[in-house]
């Protein structure tokens, strides 16, 4: 039988520690969770993402109070009720729209930081994999949310994306109709995507965020030089008062205070967009109500899906679908395709440096080409960029195998 | 002792497994299209008054249906156009003969990813703005990415009327010949 002090004041530190081990929790999760000193502002992106998810959750709760998931009422409930009737409804919508877009910008920065510094190998594979799962579920969350205003882009994006599941020549119309619950996106479709967007997917995201943090705890975060050191020994130095010599700082309060500073800068940018430039996240085509008998002249996804959309587009259907599927899953394989033992920034890794910048530039080109109409010369540039993307991933194991050990 | 535990473990596992399968089936059925959606699947269209080379758009199961009455020249072209690489049939085979006239009757959704192609009467072809696919006036593909010509909906000819959603002998023949796929 555990010992409980009869005299401990209810809800005092001692009282809580005896019941839920609060001191152990605090130590393991915050005051003795060690972070290397040798990092920069890019290491703050994780908490910036967590904060942005918080903004999406809170703004979403308020939108949910007035949104109506009915094909006849959804458009007006967003564009009339929330935007012009509900007090400050516009604020929640603009935070939600801008947040959904900016969260992907930060996710991409977070991902490319990991790729650049090699933070996905030697004990950090699960961090990468759980992060990729988060990326996929965030994509599904963004897509399902995009359906809800039931405008022209919602409807036609829904039509095109669900058609991907017919698998080209497999012609799996039954599967597509099952996903939609109808021959076309209709009431059944809107209802189920509403459920996914406001309940199931957010639950999965929250679970995955906890898991993602969990995968980080034992391997610790990487540092700017990919240096491996004894966290326990460095922690002892810090605790003994040799804070200058120690290579680590505690997550709380030292690292977190820097995180909060970066978040402060970030939120200035975030709210600048919310108040003055929200229109970039609001496609004008989606201000026309959904119409199943009229395709908008030019359909394109939001900017963050353009690169993978452009990998689909320049090919005939079946090769296009295969290339698209490849692009969706290949990032998962990164820890296993990189055959080099080096954990170091890309600029010290020989050919990998060029591989990294080539991938980044190629994806930016794909993003731009995905936005323009499918005419020459854009189609050809898109085709070359799509082929380059696939080639880069095929080359990765070869160039990393050849890499000299540092 | 251990045998007894194993047995209880297996019995529990089997019953929960059965329950999980049942729940999965119920979940699958919940996502199926409702009977009301499936029942509202028939549309009757009178094509006799359609003008030549003017695209008429009707609705069947929420999808746009394109009807294009062919002019004499268009029929001649469809009869004589060489068989293209990506199809095994003459264009004339894709057209539906009602009385003495030929009609193109198709689901107006691009077979690539389901956008609605635009008809350009002066060029006698369709252009899909989404990914640049093109079809000729008898709805066969003339430019990728679409994998095949526009799909022909199930139909039954009833005098000068078309009943969409019912499978008449003419439609069954198209299906059997592989000229169109089930929609």
């Amino acid at each position: 039988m555990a010992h409980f002090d009869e005299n401990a004041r209810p809800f005092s530190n001692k009282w809580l520690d005896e019941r839920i081990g609060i001191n152990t929790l605090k130590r393991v999760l915050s005051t003795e969770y060690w972070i290397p000193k040798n990092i920069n502002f890019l290491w703050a992106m994780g908490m910036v993402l967590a904060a942005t998810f918080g903004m999406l959750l809170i703004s979403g709760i308020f939108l949910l109070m007035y949104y109506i998931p009915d094909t006849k009422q959804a458009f007006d409930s967003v564009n009339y009720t929330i935007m012009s009737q509900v007090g400050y409804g516009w604020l929640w919508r603009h935070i939600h729209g801008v947040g959904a877009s900016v969260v992907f910008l930060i996710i991409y920065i977070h991902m490319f930081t990991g790729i650049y510094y090699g933070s996905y190998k030697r004990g950090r594979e699960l961090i990468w994999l759980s992060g990729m799962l988060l990326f996929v579920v965030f994509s599904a969350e963004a897509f399902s949310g995009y359906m809800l205003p039931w405008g022209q882009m919602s409807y036609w994006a829904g039509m095109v994306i669900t058609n991907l599941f017919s698998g080209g020549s497999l012609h799996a119309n039954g599967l597509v109709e099952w996903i939609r619950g109808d021959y076309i996106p209709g009431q059944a479709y809107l209802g189920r995507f509403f459920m996914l967007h406001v309940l199931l997917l957010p639950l999965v995201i929250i679970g995955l965020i906890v898991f993602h943090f969990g995968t980080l705890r034992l391997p610790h975060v990487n540092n700017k030089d990919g240096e491996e050191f004894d966290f326990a020994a460095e922690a002892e130095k810090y605790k003994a008062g040799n804070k200058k010599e120690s290579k680590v700082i505690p997550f709380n309060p030292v690292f977190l205070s820097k995180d909060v500073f970066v978040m402060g800068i970030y939120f200035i940018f975030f709210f600048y967009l919310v108040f003055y430039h929200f229109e970039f996240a609001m496609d004008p085509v989606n201000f026309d109500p959904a119409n199943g008998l009229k395709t908008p002249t030019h359909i394109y996804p939001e900017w963050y899906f353009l690169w993978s959309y452009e990998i689909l587009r320049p090919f005939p259907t079946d090769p296009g679908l295969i290339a698209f599927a490849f692009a969706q899953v290949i990032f998962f394989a990164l820890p296993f395709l990189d055959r080099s033992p080096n954990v170091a920034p890309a600029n010290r890794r020989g050919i990998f440096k060029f591989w990294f910048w080539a991938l980044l530039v190629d994806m930016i080109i794909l993003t731009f080409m995905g936005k323009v109409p499918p005419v020459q010369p854009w189609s050809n540039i898109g085709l070359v960029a799509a082929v380059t993307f696939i080639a880069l991933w095929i080359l990765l194991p070869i160039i990393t195998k050849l890499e000299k050990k540092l | 002792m251990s045998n007894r535990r194993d047995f209880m473990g297996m019995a529990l596992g089997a019953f929960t497994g059965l329950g999980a399968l049942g729940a999965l089936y119920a979940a699958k059925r919940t996502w199926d299209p409702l009977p009301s959606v499936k029942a509202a699947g028939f549309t009757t269209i009178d094509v006799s008054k359609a003008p030549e080379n003017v695209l008429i758009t009707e609705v069947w199961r929420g999808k746009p249906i394109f009807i294009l009455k062919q002019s004499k020249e268009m029929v001649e072209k469809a009869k004589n156009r060489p068989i293209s690489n990506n199809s095994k049939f003459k264009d004339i085979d894709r057209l539906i003969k009602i009385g003495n006239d030929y009609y193109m009757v198709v689901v107006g959704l691009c077979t690539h990813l389901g956008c609605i192609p635009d008809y350009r009467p002066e060029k006698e072809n369709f252009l899909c703005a989404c990914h640049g696919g093109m079809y000729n006036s008898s709805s066969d593909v003339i430019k990728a990415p679409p994998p095949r010509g526009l799909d022909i909906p199930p139909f039954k000819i009833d005098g000068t009327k078309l009943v969409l959603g019912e499978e008449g002998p003419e439609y069954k023949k198209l299906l059997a010949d592989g000229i169109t796929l089930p929609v």
Side-chain angles (χ1 to χ4, degrees), chain A residues 315-337:
Chain A
F315 299 107
T317 309
D318 287 347
L321 278 174
I322 293 166
F324 182 71
F326 175 85
Q328 299 309 304
V329 299
I330 196 63
F331 276 90
F332 277 94
L334 178 61
F336 312 102
L337 291 178

Side-chain angles (χ1 to χ4, degrees), chain A residues 113-233:
Chain A
T113 303
I115 300 176
Y116 185 82
Y117 290 101
S119 312
Y120 48 83
K121 47 185 175 179
R122 272 215 303 214
R124 299 199 180 90
E125 294 87 351
L126 281 177
I127 307 175
W128 179 262
L129 291 175
S130 58
M132 278 307 299
L133 281 177
L134 270 169
F135 174 73
V136 170
V137 185
F138 260 95
S139 300
E141 177 70 0
F143 173 74
S144 55
Y146 201 76
M147 299 298 103
L148 303 188
W150 211 241
Q152 270 293 65
M153 265 315 191
S154 305
Y155 183 92
W156 287 99
M159 182 73 121
V160 168
I161 298 295
T162 46
N163 262 340
L164 290 177
F165 290 90
S166 71
S169 296
L170 297 178
H171 207 64
N173 285 347
L175 177 63
V176 174
E177 277 157 23
W178 182 72
I179 291 170
R180 291 176 186 161
D182 199 337
Y183 303 108
I184 46 154
Q187 182 56 49
Y189 177 88
L190 182 60
R192 63 192 57 181
F193 277 84
F194 172 70
M195 176 282 288
L196 289 173
H197 185 74
V198 305
L199 181 68
L200 187 56
L201 294 177
L203 279 181
V204 174
I205 285 176
I206 291 167
L208 280 173
I209 290 175
V210 172
F211 181 59
H212 193 53
F213 283 169
T215 58
L216 196 56
R217 182 63 185 79
L218 293 184
H220 289 90
V221 298
N222 195 5
N223 55 70
K224 274 199 299 187
D225 296 307
E227 185 193 354
E228 249 190 289
F229 53 78
D230 185 349
F231 273 87

Side-chain angles (χ1 to χ4, degrees), chain A residues 354-388:
Chain A
F354 300 104
W355 186 88
F356 173 84
W357 291 109
L359 181 70
L360 184 60
V361 170
D362 191 54
M363 285 177 71
I364 292 171
I365 292 173
L366 283 169
T367 300
F368 279 102
M369 293 305 111
K371 183 82 184 188
V372 294
V375 293
Q376 297 302 353
W378 312 125
S379 308
N380 279 346
I381 297 176
L383 178 64
V384 171
V387 171
T388 307

Side-chain angles (χ1 to χ4, degrees), chain A residues 168-357:
Chain A
S169 296
L170 297 178
H171 207 64
N173 285 347
L175 177 63
V176 174
E177 277 157 23
W178 182 72
I179 291 170
R180 291 176 186 161
D182 199 337
Y183 303 108
I184 46 154
Q187 182 56 49
Y189 177 88
L190 182 60
R192 63 192 57 181
F193 277 84
F194 172 70
M195 176 282 288
L196 289 173
H197 185 74
V198 305
L199 181 68
L200 187 56
L201 294 177
L203 279 181
V204 174
I205 285 176
I206 291 167
L208 280 173
I209 290 175
V210 172
F211 181 59
H212 193 53
F213 283 169
T215 58
L216 196 56
R217 182 63 185 79
L218 293 184
H220 289 90
V221 298
N222 195 5
N223 55 70
K224 274 199 299 187
D225 296 307
E227 185 193 354
E228 249 190 289
F229 53 78
D230 185 349
F231 273 87
E234 297 300 325
E236 283 315 311
K237 279 191 213 163
Y238 188 94
K239 284 198 277 187
N242 297 329
K243 297 187 181 179
K244 259 197 171 149
E245 286 159 43
S246 173
K247 287 181 177 173
V248 297
I249 47 170
F251 176 77
N252 185 27
V254 186
F255 174 69
L256 208 51
S257 62
K258 302 211 171 194
D259 255 2
V260 169
F261 174 74
V262 177
M263 264 190 247
I265 306 267
Y266 164 74
F267 275 119
I268 292 173
F269 162 73
F270 184 90
F271 282 105
Y272 167 74
L273 292 178
V274 168
F275 290 117
Y276 300 104
H277 274 295
F278 53 84
E279 81 285 348
F280 88 97
M282 307 267 157
D283 195 289
V285 181
N286 220 23
F287 286 91
D288 285 328
N291 179 352
L293 297 180
K294 188 170 155 281
T295 322
T297 46
H298 183 197
I299 299 183
Y300 42 81
E302 288 292 278
W303 72 267
Y304 40 85
F305 292 144
L306 286 171
W307 69 270
S308 59
Y309 179 68
E310 186 58 19
I311 289 174
L312 169 83
R313 199 164 69 156
F315 299 107
T317 309
D318 287 347
L321 278 174
I322 293 166
F324 182 71
F326 175 85
Q328 299 309 304
V329 299
I330 196 63
F331 276 90
F332 277 94
L334 178 61
F336 312 102
L337 291 178
D338 183 342
R339 312 296 301 164
S340 152
N342 298 325
V343 176
N347 66 351
R348 295 184 207 155
R349 288 184 54 193
I351 315 176
F352 184 79
K353 172 168 107 179
F354 300 104
W355 186 88
F356 173 84
W357 291 109

